[in-house]
């Protein structure tokens, strides 16, 4: 039984970084990967999808050439094989780089195969059982396939299999009106597909404030994307055109027919074949591994990082999991996941950058608060670029003067959000930013101006 100081299962955002820190601290480490090194982000998440979003943006901007005084001598077309080839060329070196760096890392042994826990201090990969006093589970997640009647009779795509698409669907039906589904919807509409988004809730991205949801819906509909909300009793069946989805919406035809179907209804953790019960590791009803605020499971020495622990489903939360674990185990610090603030982005165009509490959450809390808003059409930089969709919104605690949250749906919103996020971590009063001199012409320059116009949240 090969003995190590630590075993890491999975090479997503947290695993490789943790391996390097452990090795640097003199630990002997085993890393196990059963498929692609780099995890979801590198292989079928952030990196490839944002590469495709960039191609879709280029096509969209090209179609608007006349708005900028540019002449293009012919119709705009998208070569989907070239789009996929570009995406693959971006992904491959990153994936290979993660694998190479781990295999060449002195003190680290990389195993290819399925890792399963077989005891509190043992993990089996293939026919080999590895032993270590510490195990770090970083197995990520995969797309959820809902129990929709008829799915077993039709072909469908997920956000992972979409990475292999090198053709243009005539009519893409997207089931799921949240972050993943909306990014693909706009992307493929800009590539040239007809697109219909089906969502069971009354509005898109229902966890966001209503004004954000409505703003995103307006942008998508303006680009020709059909939205079917309040869709109940979903069912799939074959159709001469390809696929039909029964929606029973309050408005519109009861069926939506299209050529291809994308399921984008969420993700689930890759924990069902880990053998957690053999080590007594607890998980919740959805399969997420239960961890404390320092990301340790109920079994001493076994930790869970990344998507599989249910404490965050983003690349940045996974990396922050690594930072917390490394700081506690190697640096003598006392860091906790409780210190982490909500922060994420929706990569439609324009993007949405979010941090802290939503307006609805602030209202529900009952605390006295201030709010400031500004439409993007009032931002010089957005007006100059011809990208004035969206708005900015900031919420502040009236008594402490600290930021409570912000939503930036507009040009560069995924970058601007960090100006507020950093001040939230610093626990600085909003007056620090309100008195700052920002650079012109930028989007961020308007934040101090916004803060001068804070008003009571009624």
């Amino acid at each position: 039984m090969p003995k190590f100081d630590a075993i890491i299962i999975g090479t997503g955002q947290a695993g490789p970084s943790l391996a390097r820190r452990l090795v640097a601290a003199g630990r002997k480490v085993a890393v196990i990967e059963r498929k692609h090194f780099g995890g979801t982000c590198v292989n079928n998440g952030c990196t490839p999808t944002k590469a495709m979003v960039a191609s879709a943006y280029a096509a969209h901007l090209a179609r608007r050439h006349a708005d900028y005084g540019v002449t293009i001598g012919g119709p705009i077309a998208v070569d989907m094989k070239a789009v996929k080839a570009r995406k693959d060329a971006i992904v491959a070196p990153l994936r290979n780089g993660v694998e190479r760096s781990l295999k060449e890392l002195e003190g680290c042994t990389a195993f290819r195969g399925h890792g399963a826990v077989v005891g509190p201090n043992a993990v089996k990969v293939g026919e080999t059982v590895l032993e270590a006093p510490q195990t770090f589970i970083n197995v990520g997640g995969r797309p959820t396939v809902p129990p929709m009647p008829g799915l077993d009779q039709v072909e469908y795509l997920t956000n992972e299999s979409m990475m292999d698409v090198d053709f243009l669907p005539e009519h893409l039906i997207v089931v799921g009106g949240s972050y993943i589904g909306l990014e693909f919807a706009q992307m493929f509409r800009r590539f040239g597909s007809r697109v219909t988004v089906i969502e069971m809730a009354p509005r898109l991205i229902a966890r966001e404030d209503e004004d954000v949801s409505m703003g995103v819906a307006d942008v998508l509909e303006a680009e020709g994307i059909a939205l079917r909300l309040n869709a109940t009793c979903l069912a799939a069946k074959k159709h001469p055109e390809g696929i039909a989805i029964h929606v029973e919406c309050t408005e519109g035809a009861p069926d939506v027919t299209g050529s291809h179907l994308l399921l984008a209804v969420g993700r689930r953790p890759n924990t069902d074949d880990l053998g957690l019960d053999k080590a007594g590791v607890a998980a919740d009803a959805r399969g997420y591994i239960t961890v404390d605020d320092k990301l340790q499971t109920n079994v001493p020495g076994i930790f869970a990082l990344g998507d599989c622990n249910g404490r965050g489903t983003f690349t940045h939360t996974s990396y922050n999991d690594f930072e917390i674990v490394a700081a506690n185990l190697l640096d003598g610090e006392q860091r906790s996941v409780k210190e982490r603030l909500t922060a994420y982005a929706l990569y439609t165009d324009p993007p949405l950058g979010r941090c802290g509490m939503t307006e609805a959450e602030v209202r529900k809390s009952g605390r006295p608060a201030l709010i400031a808003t500004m439409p993007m059409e009032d931002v010089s930089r957005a007006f100059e670029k011809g990208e004035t969709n969206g708005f900015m919104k900031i919420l502040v605690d009236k008594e402490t003067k600290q930021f409570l949250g912000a939503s930036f749906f507009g040009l560069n919103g995924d970058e601007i959000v960090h100006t507020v996020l950093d001040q939230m971590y610093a626990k600085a009063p909003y007056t620090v930013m309100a008195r700052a001199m920002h650079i012109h012409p930028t989007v961020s320059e308007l934040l101090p101006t916004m803060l001068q116009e804070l008003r009571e949240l009624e």
Side-chain angles (χ1 to χ4, degrees), residues 44-45 49 52-53 158-160 162-163 172 174 178-191 195 197 225 262 264 347-348:
N44 45 53
T49 57
M52 294 173 70
V53 164
T158 68
N159 69 290
E160 291 185 356
M162 286 293 283
M163 296 300 97
L172 179 66
V174 180
S178 195
Y179 307 93
I180 294 175
L182 298 186
E183 289 177 23
F184 276 108
Q186 187 181 50
M187 181 196 310
F188 275 84
R189 177 58 184 154
R190 290 180 167 187
F191 288 151
V195 177
V197 175
I225 296 172
L262 167 62
Y347 292 97
T348 52

PDB file of all heavy atoms in Angstrom, residues 44-45 49 52-53 158-160 162-163 172 174 178-191 195 197 225 262 264 347-348:
ATOM      1  N   ASN A  44     -14.672  22.404 -19.742  1.00  0.00           N
ATOM      2  CA  ASN A  44     -16.008  22.626 -20.292  1.00  0.00           C
ATOM      3  C   ASN A  44     -16.785  23.693 -19.536  1.00  0.00           C
ATOM      4  O   ASN A  44     -18.012  23.722 -19.577  1.00  0.00           O
ATOM      5  CB  ASN A  44     -16.813  21.312 -20.325  1.00  0.00           C
ATOM      6  CG  ASN A  44     -16.691  20.527 -19.038  1.00  0.00           C
ATOM      7  OD1 ASN A  44     -16.937  21.050 -17.966  1.00  0.00           O
ATOM      8  ND2 ASN A  44     -16.296  19.266 -19.143  1.00  0.00           N
ATOM      9  N   GLY A  45     -16.057  24.576 -18.864  1.00  0.00           N
ATOM     10  CA  GLY A  45     -16.711  25.645 -18.121  1.00  0.00           C
ATOM     11  C   GLY A  45     -16.220  27.008 -18.558  1.00  0.00           C
ATOM     12  O   GLY A  45     -16.381  27.412 -19.708  1.00  0.00           O
ATOM     13  N   THR A  49     -16.208  28.295 -22.679  1.00  0.00           N
ATOM     14  CA  THR A  49     -17.423  29.060 -22.941  1.00  0.00           C
ATOM     15  C   THR A  49     -17.107  30.534 -23.156  1.00  0.00           C
ATOM     16  O   THR A  49     -17.720  31.184 -24.021  1.00  0.00           O
ATOM     17  CB  THR A  49     -18.456  28.917 -21.812  1.00  0.00           C
ATOM     18  OG1 THR A  49     -17.880  29.327 -20.572  1.00  0.00           O
ATOM     19  CG2 THR A  49     -18.939  27.478 -21.693  1.00  0.00           C
ATOM     20  N   MET A  52     -15.911  31.009 -26.591  1.00  0.00           N
ATOM     21  CA  MET A  52     -17.025  31.015 -27.548  1.00  0.00           C
ATOM     22  C   MET A  52     -17.847  32.300 -27.438  1.00  0.00           C
ATOM     23  O   MET A  52     -18.334  32.827 -28.436  1.00  0.00           O
ATOM     24  CB  MET A  52     -17.898  29.783 -27.324  1.00  0.00           C
ATOM     25  CG  MET A  52     -17.186  28.477 -27.645  1.00  0.00           C
ATOM     26  SD  MET A  52     -18.141  27.011 -27.185  1.00  0.00           S
ATOM     27  CE  MET A  52     -19.473  27.082 -28.396  1.00  0.00           C
ATOM     28  N   VAL A  53     -18.000  32.810 -26.219  1.00  0.00           N
ATOM     29  CA  VAL A  53     -18.676  34.099 -26.040  1.00  0.00           C
ATOM     30  C   VAL A  53     -17.938  35.190 -26.809  1.00  0.00           C
ATOM     31  O   VAL A  53     -18.559  36.070 -27.416  1.00  0.00           O
ATOM     32  CB  VAL A  53     -18.772  34.452 -24.537  1.00  0.00           C
ATOM     33  CG1 VAL A  53     -19.112  35.926 -24.350  1.00  0.00           C
ATOM     34  CG2 VAL A  53     -19.823  33.591 -23.843  1.00  0.00           C
ATOM     35  N   THR A 158     -25.899  19.021 -23.113  1.00  0.00           N
ATOM     36  CA  THR A 158     -25.664  19.677 -21.828  1.00  0.00           C
ATOM     37  C   THR A 158     -24.554  20.697 -22.035  1.00  0.00           C
ATOM     38  O   THR A 158     -23.960  20.777 -23.119  1.00  0.00           O
ATOM     39  CB  THR A 158     -25.241  18.673 -20.746  1.00  0.00           C
ATOM     40  OG1 THR A 158     -23.929  18.157 -21.069  1.00  0.00           O
ATOM     41  CG2 THR A 158     -26.242  17.522 -20.632  1.00  0.00           C
ATOM     42  N   ASN A 159     -24.234  21.448 -21.011  1.00  0.00           N
ATOM     43  CA  ASN A 159     -23.163  22.425 -21.177  1.00  0.00           C
ATOM     44  C   ASN A 159     -21.824  21.752 -21.466  1.00  0.00           C
ATOM     45  O   ASN A 159     -20.923  22.356 -22.051  1.00  0.00           O
ATOM     46  CB  ASN A 159     -23.049  23.315 -19.939  1.00  0.00           C
ATOM     47  CG  ASN A 159     -22.526  22.575 -18.720  1.00  0.00           C
ATOM     48  OD1 ASN A 159     -23.213  21.732 -18.145  1.00  0.00           O
ATOM     49  ND2 ASN A 159     -21.299  22.882 -18.310  1.00  0.00           N
ATOM     50  N   GLU A 160     -21.690  20.472 -21.116  1.00  0.00           N
ATOM     51  CA  GLU A 160     -20.453  19.747 -21.420  1.00  0.00           C
ATOM     52  C   GLU A 160     -20.432  19.268 -22.868  1.00  0.00           C
ATOM     53  O   GLU A 160     -19.448  19.486 -23.591  1.00  0.00           O
ATOM     54  CB  GLU A 160     -20.287  18.568 -20.460  1.00  0.00           C
ATOM     55  CG  GLU A 160     -20.008  18.997 -19.027  1.00  0.00           C
ATOM     56  CD  GLU A 160     -19.717  17.823 -18.119  1.00  0.00           C
ATOM     57  OE1 GLU A 160     -19.813  16.654 -18.582  1.00  0.00           O
ATOM     58  OE2 GLU A 160     -19.388  18.051 -16.934  1.00  0.00           O
ATOM     59  N   MET A 162     -22.042  20.467 -25.285  1.00  0.00           N
ATOM     60  CA  MET A 162     -22.041  21.620 -26.183  1.00  0.00           C
ATOM     61  C   MET A 162     -20.630  21.978 -26.630  1.00  0.00           C
ATOM     62  O   MET A 162     -20.437  22.620 -27.665  1.00  0.00           O
ATOM     63  CB  MET A 162     -22.669  22.842 -25.496  1.00  0.00           C
ATOM     64  CG  MET A 162     -24.180  22.782 -25.353  1.00  0.00           C
ATOM     65  SD  MET A 162     -25.094  22.861 -26.909  1.00  0.00           S
ATOM     66  CE  MET A 162     -24.988  24.590 -27.297  1.00  0.00           C
ATOM     67  N   MET A 163     -19.640  21.552 -25.863  1.00  0.00           N
ATOM     68  CA  MET A 163     -18.251  21.850 -26.223  1.00  0.00           C
ATOM     69  C   MET A 163     -17.816  21.103 -27.477  1.00  0.00           C
ATOM     70  O   MET A 163     -16.802  21.433 -28.088  1.00  0.00           O
ATOM     71  CB  MET A 163     -17.321  21.497 -25.067  1.00  0.00           C
ATOM     72  CG  MET A 163     -17.530  22.324 -23.804  1.00  0.00           C
ATOM     73  SD  MET A 163     -17.280  24.095 -24.057  1.00  0.00           S
ATOM     74  CE  MET A 163     -18.952  24.673 -24.301  1.00  0.00           C
ATOM     75  N   LEU A 172     -32.309  26.193 -31.539  1.00  0.00           N
ATOM     76  CA  LEU A 172     -31.862  25.639 -30.258  1.00  0.00           C
ATOM     77  C   LEU A 172     -32.878  25.964 -29.173  1.00  0.00           C
ATOM     78  O   LEU A 172     -33.172  27.135 -28.915  1.00  0.00           O
ATOM     79  CB  LEU A 172     -30.496  26.214 -29.881  1.00  0.00           C
ATOM     80  CG  LEU A 172     -29.907  25.746 -28.550  1.00  0.00           C
ATOM     81  CD1 LEU A 172     -29.590  24.253 -28.599  1.00  0.00           C
ATOM     82  CD2 LEU A 172     -28.652  26.546 -28.209  1.00  0.00           C
ATOM     83  N   VAL A 174     -33.460  25.922 -25.276  1.00  0.00           N
ATOM     84  CA  VAL A 174     -32.699  25.891 -24.025  1.00  0.00           C
ATOM     85  C   VAL A 174     -33.684  25.755 -22.878  1.00  0.00           C
ATOM     86  O   VAL A 174     -34.512  26.642 -22.647  1.00  0.00           O
ATOM     87  CB  VAL A 174     -31.860  27.169 -23.839  1.00  0.00           C
ATOM     88  CG1 VAL A 174     -31.073  27.107 -22.534  1.00  0.00           C
ATOM     89  CG2 VAL A 174     -30.921  27.368 -25.027  1.00  0.00           C
ATOM     90  N   SER A 178     -31.393  30.305 -16.435  1.00  0.00           N
ATOM     91  CA  SER A 178     -30.473  30.861 -15.455  1.00  0.00           C
ATOM     92  C   SER A 178     -29.120  31.077 -16.116  1.00  0.00           C
ATOM     93  O   SER A 178     -29.018  31.179 -17.336  1.00  0.00           O
ATOM     94  CB  SER A 178     -30.366  29.930 -14.244  1.00  0.00           C
ATOM     95  OG  SER A 178     -29.756  30.604 -13.149  1.00  0.00           O
ATOM     96  N   TYR A 179     -28.049  31.123 -15.334  1.00  0.00           N
ATOM     97  CA  TYR A 179     -26.765  31.626 -15.801  1.00  0.00           C
ATOM     98  C   TYR A 179     -26.216  30.847 -16.999  1.00  0.00           C
ATOM     99  O   TYR A 179     -25.872  31.430 -18.035  1.00  0.00           O
ATOM    100  CB  TYR A 179     -25.770  31.637 -14.632  1.00  0.00           C
ATOM    101  CG  TYR A 179     -26.322  32.365 -13.439  1.00  0.00           C
ATOM    102  CD1 TYR A 179     -27.008  31.686 -12.434  1.00  0.00           C
ATOM    103  CD2 TYR A 179     -26.228  33.745 -13.349  1.00  0.00           C
ATOM    104  CE1 TYR A 179     -27.560  32.359 -11.358  1.00  0.00           C
ATOM    105  CE2 TYR A 179     -26.778  34.434 -12.275  1.00  0.00           C
ATOM    106  CZ  TYR A 179     -27.446  33.735 -11.282  1.00  0.00           C
ATOM    107  OH  TYR A 179     -28.008  34.418 -10.241  1.00  0.00           O
ATOM    108  N   ILE A 180     -26.095  29.543 -16.885  1.00  0.00           N
ATOM    109  CA  ILE A 180     -25.528  28.746 -17.968  1.00  0.00           C
ATOM    110  C   ILE A 180     -26.408  28.812 -19.211  1.00  0.00           C
ATOM    111  O   ILE A 180     -25.939  29.042 -20.326  1.00  0.00           O
ATOM    112  CB  ILE A 180     -25.326  27.290 -17.518  1.00  0.00           C
ATOM    113  CG1 ILE A 180     -24.252  27.214 -16.419  1.00  0.00           C
ATOM    114  CG2 ILE A 180     -24.923  26.405 -18.689  1.00  0.00           C
ATOM    115  CD1 ILE A 180     -24.075  25.831 -15.818  1.00  0.00           C
ATOM    116  N   GLY A 181     -27.703  28.630 -19.027  1.00  0.00           N
ATOM    117  CA  GLY A 181     -28.620  28.611 -20.152  1.00  0.00           C
ATOM    118  C   GLY A 181     -28.636  29.921 -20.919  1.00  0.00           C
ATOM    119  O   GLY A 181     -28.669  29.932 -22.157  1.00  0.00           O
ATOM    120  N   LEU A 182     -28.590  31.055 -20.204  1.00  0.00           N
ATOM    121  CA  LEU A 182     -28.663  32.342 -20.873  1.00  0.00           C
ATOM    122  C   LEU A 182     -27.391  32.658 -21.638  1.00  0.00           C
ATOM    123  O   LEU A 182     -27.436  33.285 -22.711  1.00  0.00           O
ATOM    124  CB  LEU A 182     -28.963  33.443 -19.861  1.00  0.00           C
ATOM    125  CG  LEU A 182     -30.304  33.313 -19.127  1.00  0.00           C
ATOM    126  CD1 LEU A 182     -30.560  34.521 -18.258  1.00  0.00           C
ATOM    127  CD2 LEU A 182     -31.452  33.101 -20.110  1.00  0.00           C
ATOM    128  N   GLU A 183     -26.247  32.258 -21.108  1.00  0.00           N
ATOM    129  CA  GLU A 183     -24.999  32.478 -21.833  1.00  0.00           C
ATOM    130  C   GLU A 183     -25.005  31.726 -23.158  1.00  0.00           C
ATOM    131  O   GLU A 183     -24.629  32.277 -24.209  1.00  0.00           O
ATOM    132  CB  GLU A 183     -23.814  32.061 -20.969  1.00  0.00           C
ATOM    133  CG  GLU A 183     -23.562  32.997 -19.798  1.00  0.00           C
ATOM    134  CD  GLU A 183     -22.426  32.526 -18.895  1.00  0.00           C
ATOM    135  OE1 GLU A 183     -21.560  31.761 -19.379  1.00  0.00           O
ATOM    136  OE2 GLU A 183     -22.394  32.924 -17.715  1.00  0.00           O
ATOM    137  N   PHE A 184     -25.430  30.475 -23.133  1.00  0.00           N
ATOM    138  CA  PHE A 184     -25.489  29.694 -24.374  1.00  0.00           C
ATOM    139  C   PHE A 184     -26.573  30.227 -25.313  1.00  0.00           C
ATOM    140  O   PHE A 184     -26.404  30.225 -26.533  1.00  0.00           O
ATOM    141  CB  PHE A 184     -25.745  28.223 -24.071  1.00  0.00           C
ATOM    142  CG  PHE A 184     -24.496  27.459 -23.729  1.00  0.00           C
ATOM    143  CD1 PHE A 184     -24.259  27.042 -22.439  1.00  0.00           C
ATOM    144  CD2 PHE A 184     -23.562  27.156 -24.710  1.00  0.00           C
ATOM    145  CE1 PHE A 184     -23.097  26.342 -22.121  1.00  0.00           C
ATOM    146  CE2 PHE A 184     -22.408  26.460 -24.407  1.00  0.00           C
ATOM    147  CZ  PHE A 184     -22.168  26.049 -23.102  1.00  0.00           C
ATOM    148  N   ALA A 185     -27.679  30.676 -24.749  1.00  0.00           N
ATOM    149  CA  ALA A 185     -28.763  31.188 -25.578  1.00  0.00           C
ATOM    150  C   ALA A 185     -28.297  32.384 -26.400  1.00  0.00           C
ATOM    151  O   ALA A 185     -28.483  32.433 -27.627  1.00  0.00           O
ATOM    152  CB  ALA A 185     -29.954  31.574 -24.711  1.00  0.00           C
ATOM    153  N   GLN A 186     -27.695  33.354 -25.747  1.00  0.00           N
ATOM    154  CA  GLN A 186     -27.239  34.533 -26.478  1.00  0.00           C
ATOM    155  C   GLN A 186     -26.101  34.189 -27.429  1.00  0.00           C
ATOM    156  O   GLN A 186     -26.045  34.690 -28.565  1.00  0.00           O
ATOM    157  CB  GLN A 186     -26.777  35.617 -25.494  1.00  0.00           C
ATOM    158  CG  GLN A 186     -26.438  36.931 -26.180  1.00  0.00           C
ATOM    159  CD  GLN A 186     -25.956  37.970 -25.205  1.00  0.00           C
ATOM    160  OE1 GLN A 186     -25.071  37.709 -24.390  1.00  0.00           O
ATOM    161  NE2 GLN A 186     -26.533  39.171 -25.260  1.00  0.00           N
ATOM    162  N   MET A 187     -25.214  33.327 -26.976  1.00  0.00           N
ATOM    163  CA  MET A 187     -24.082  32.919 -27.807  1.00  0.00           C
ATOM    164  C   MET A 187     -24.547  32.330 -29.129  1.00  0.00           C
ATOM    165  O   MET A 187     -24.114  32.761 -30.209  1.00  0.00           O
ATOM    166  CB  MET A 187     -23.244  31.884 -27.031  1.00  0.00           C
ATOM    167  CG  MET A 187     -22.018  31.372 -27.736  1.00  0.00           C
ATOM    168  SD  MET A 187     -21.403  29.854 -26.930  1.00  0.00           S
ATOM    169  CE  MET A 187     -21.323  30.319 -25.205  1.00  0.00           C
ATOM    170  N   PHE A 188     -25.461  31.361 -29.071  1.00  0.00           N
ATOM    171  CA  PHE A 188     -25.887  30.690 -30.295  1.00  0.00           C
ATOM    172  C   PHE A 188     -26.835  31.544 -31.127  1.00  0.00           C
ATOM    173  O   PHE A 188     -26.901  31.393 -32.352  1.00  0.00           O
ATOM    174  CB  PHE A 188     -26.466  29.314 -29.983  1.00  0.00           C
ATOM    175  CG  PHE A 188     -25.393  28.263 -29.894  1.00  0.00           C
ATOM    176  CD1 PHE A 188     -24.689  28.064 -28.722  1.00  0.00           C
ATOM    177  CD2 PHE A 188     -25.043  27.515 -31.008  1.00  0.00           C
ATOM    178  CE1 PHE A 188     -23.663  27.130 -28.655  1.00  0.00           C
ATOM    179  CE2 PHE A 188     -24.023  26.579 -30.955  1.00  0.00           C
ATOM    180  CZ  PHE A 188     -23.322  26.381 -29.768  1.00  0.00           C
ATOM    181  N   ARG A 189     -27.550  32.441 -30.490  1.00  0.00           N
ATOM    182  CA  ARG A 189     -28.337  33.388 -31.276  1.00  0.00           C
ATOM    183  C   ARG A 189     -27.407  34.257 -32.115  1.00  0.00           C
ATOM    184  O   ARG A 189     -27.662  34.515 -33.292  1.00  0.00           O
ATOM    185  CB  ARG A 189     -29.200  34.258 -30.350  1.00  0.00           C
ATOM    186  CG  ARG A 189     -30.009  35.330 -31.088  1.00  0.00           C
ATOM    187  CD  ARG A 189     -30.918  34.722 -32.120  1.00  0.00           C
ATOM    188  NE  ARG A 189     -31.620  35.740 -32.902  1.00  0.00           N
ATOM    189  CZ  ARG A 189     -32.068  35.540 -34.132  1.00  0.00           C
ATOM    190  NH1 ARG A 189     -31.890  34.365 -34.729  1.00  0.00           N
ATOM    191  NH2 ARG A 189     -32.706  36.506 -34.764  1.00  0.00           N
ATOM    192  N   ARG A 190     -26.307  34.676 -31.527  1.00  0.00           N
ATOM    193  CA  ARG A 190     -25.358  35.510 -32.251  1.00  0.00           C
ATOM    194  C   ARG A 190     -24.594  34.717 -33.319  1.00  0.00           C
ATOM    195  O   ARG A 190     -24.140  35.290 -34.307  1.00  0.00           O
ATOM    196  CB  ARG A 190     -24.396  36.175 -31.274  1.00  0.00           C
ATOM    197  CG  ARG A 190     -25.072  37.234 -30.420  1.00  0.00           C
ATOM    198  CD  ARG A 190     -24.154  37.920 -29.446  1.00  0.00           C
ATOM    199  NE  ARG A 190     -24.799  39.106 -28.896  1.00  0.00           N
ATOM    200  CZ  ARG A 190     -24.182  39.993 -28.119  1.00  0.00           C
ATOM    201  NH1 ARG A 190     -22.900  39.823 -27.808  1.00  0.00           N
ATOM    202  NH2 ARG A 190     -24.825  41.047 -27.668  1.00  0.00           N
ATOM    203  N   PHE A 191     -24.459  33.421 -33.098  1.00  0.00           N
ATOM    204  CA  PHE A 191     -23.866  32.587 -34.143  1.00  0.00           C
ATOM    205  C   PHE A 191     -24.808  32.448 -35.342  1.00  0.00           C
ATOM    206  O   PHE A 191     -24.373  32.195 -36.460  1.00  0.00           O
ATOM    207  CB  PHE A 191     -23.531  31.199 -33.605  1.00  0.00           C
ATOM    208  CG  PHE A 191     -22.348  31.171 -32.667  1.00  0.00           C
ATOM    209  CD1 PHE A 191     -22.274  30.216 -31.662  1.00  0.00           C
ATOM    210  CD2 PHE A 191     -21.306  32.080 -32.796  1.00  0.00           C
ATOM    211  CE1 PHE A 191     -21.189  30.175 -30.805  1.00  0.00           C
ATOM    212  CE2 PHE A 191     -20.209  32.046 -31.937  1.00  0.00           C
ATOM    213  CZ  PHE A 191     -20.156  31.095 -30.938  1.00  0.00           C
ATOM    214  N   VAL A 195     -33.347  30.762 -31.283  1.00  0.00           N
ATOM    215  CA  VAL A 195     -33.205  30.282 -29.911  1.00  0.00           C
ATOM    216  C   VAL A 195     -34.480  30.567 -29.128  1.00  0.00           C
ATOM    217  O   VAL A 195     -35.042  31.665 -29.201  1.00  0.00           O
ATOM    218  CB  VAL A 195     -32.004  30.954 -29.196  1.00  0.00           C
ATOM    219  CG1 VAL A 195     -31.925  30.500 -27.744  1.00  0.00           C
ATOM    220  CG2 VAL A 195     -30.699  30.634 -29.925  1.00  0.00           C
ATOM    221  N   VAL A 197     -35.773  30.073 -25.062  1.00  0.00           N
ATOM    222  CA  VAL A 197     -35.436  29.726 -23.686  1.00  0.00           C
ATOM    223  C   VAL A 197     -36.712  29.389 -22.938  1.00  0.00           C
ATOM    224  O   VAL A 197     -37.676  30.170 -22.956  1.00  0.00           O
ATOM    225  CB  VAL A 197     -34.707  30.876 -22.966  1.00  0.00           C
ATOM    226  CG1 VAL A 197     -34.475  30.537 -21.497  1.00  0.00           C
ATOM    227  CG2 VAL A 197     -33.379  31.179 -23.653  1.00  0.00           C
ATOM    228  N   ILE A 225     -34.297  36.468 -29.205  1.00  0.00           N
ATOM    229  CA  ILE A 225     -34.441  35.217 -28.434  1.00  0.00           C
ATOM    230  C   ILE A 225     -35.851  35.163 -27.858  1.00  0.00           C
ATOM    231  O   ILE A 225     -36.311  36.107 -27.203  1.00  0.00           O
ATOM    232  CB  ILE A 225     -33.399  35.152 -27.316  1.00  0.00           C
ATOM    233  CG1 ILE A 225     -31.990  35.094 -27.917  1.00  0.00           C
ATOM    234  CG2 ILE A 225     -33.641  33.951 -26.408  1.00  0.00           C
ATOM    235  CD1 ILE A 225     -30.880  35.222 -26.897  1.00  0.00           C
ATOM    236  N   LEU A 262     -30.964  21.866 -25.470  1.00  0.00           N
ATOM    237  CA  LEU A 262     -29.921  22.030 -24.458  1.00  0.00           C
ATOM    238  C   LEU A 262     -30.565  22.049 -23.087  1.00  0.00           C
ATOM    239  O   LEU A 262     -31.453  22.863 -22.819  1.00  0.00           O
ATOM    240  CB  LEU A 262     -29.150  23.333 -24.683  1.00  0.00           C
ATOM    241  CG  LEU A 262     -28.233  23.786 -23.541  1.00  0.00           C
ATOM    242  CD1 LEU A 262     -27.119  22.774 -23.282  1.00  0.00           C
ATOM    243  CD2 LEU A 262     -27.650  25.169 -23.832  1.00  0.00           C
ATOM    244  N   ALA A 264     -30.109  22.984 -19.356  1.00  0.00           N
ATOM    245  CA  ALA A 264     -29.268  23.847 -18.520  1.00  0.00           C
ATOM    246  C   ALA A 264     -30.022  24.158 -17.238  1.00  0.00           C
ATOM    247  O   ALA A 264     -30.391  25.300 -16.968  1.00  0.00           O
ATOM    248  CB  ALA A 264     -28.906  25.124 -19.265  1.00  0.00           C
ATOM    249  N   TYR A 347     -22.169  35.992 -17.728  1.00  0.00           N
ATOM    250  CA  TYR A 347     -21.405  36.443 -18.888  1.00  0.00           C
ATOM    251  C   TYR A 347     -22.248  36.543 -20.158  1.00  0.00           C
ATOM    252  O   TYR A 347     -21.859  36.081 -21.217  1.00  0.00           O
ATOM    253  CB  TYR A 347     -20.195  35.541 -19.085  1.00  0.00           C
ATOM    254  CG  TYR A 347     -19.200  35.720 -17.964  1.00  0.00           C
ATOM    255  CD1 TYR A 347     -19.188  34.838 -16.884  1.00  0.00           C
ATOM    256  CD2 TYR A 347     -18.321  36.795 -17.967  1.00  0.00           C
ATOM    257  CE1 TYR A 347     -18.303  35.029 -15.837  1.00  0.00           C
ATOM    258  CE2 TYR A 347     -17.431  36.985 -16.929  1.00  0.00           C
ATOM    259  CZ  TYR A 347     -17.426  36.101 -15.859  1.00  0.00           C
ATOM    260  OH  TYR A 347     -16.554  36.292 -14.807  1.00  0.00           O
ATOM    261  N   THR A 348     -23.412  37.151 -20.013  1.00  0.00           N
ATOM    262  CA  THR A 348     -24.117  37.612 -21.195  1.00  0.00           C
ATOM    263  C   THR A 348     -23.441  38.906 -21.646  1.00  0.00           C
ATOM    264  O   THR A 348     -22.474  39.373 -21.034  1.00  0.00           O
ATOM    265  CB  THR A 348     -25.594  37.874 -20.875  1.00  0.00           C
ATOM    266  OG1 THR A 348     -25.664  38.741 -19.716  1.00  0.00           O
ATOM    267  CG2 THR A 348     -26.343  36.583 -20.593  1.00  0.00           C
TER     268      THR A 348
END
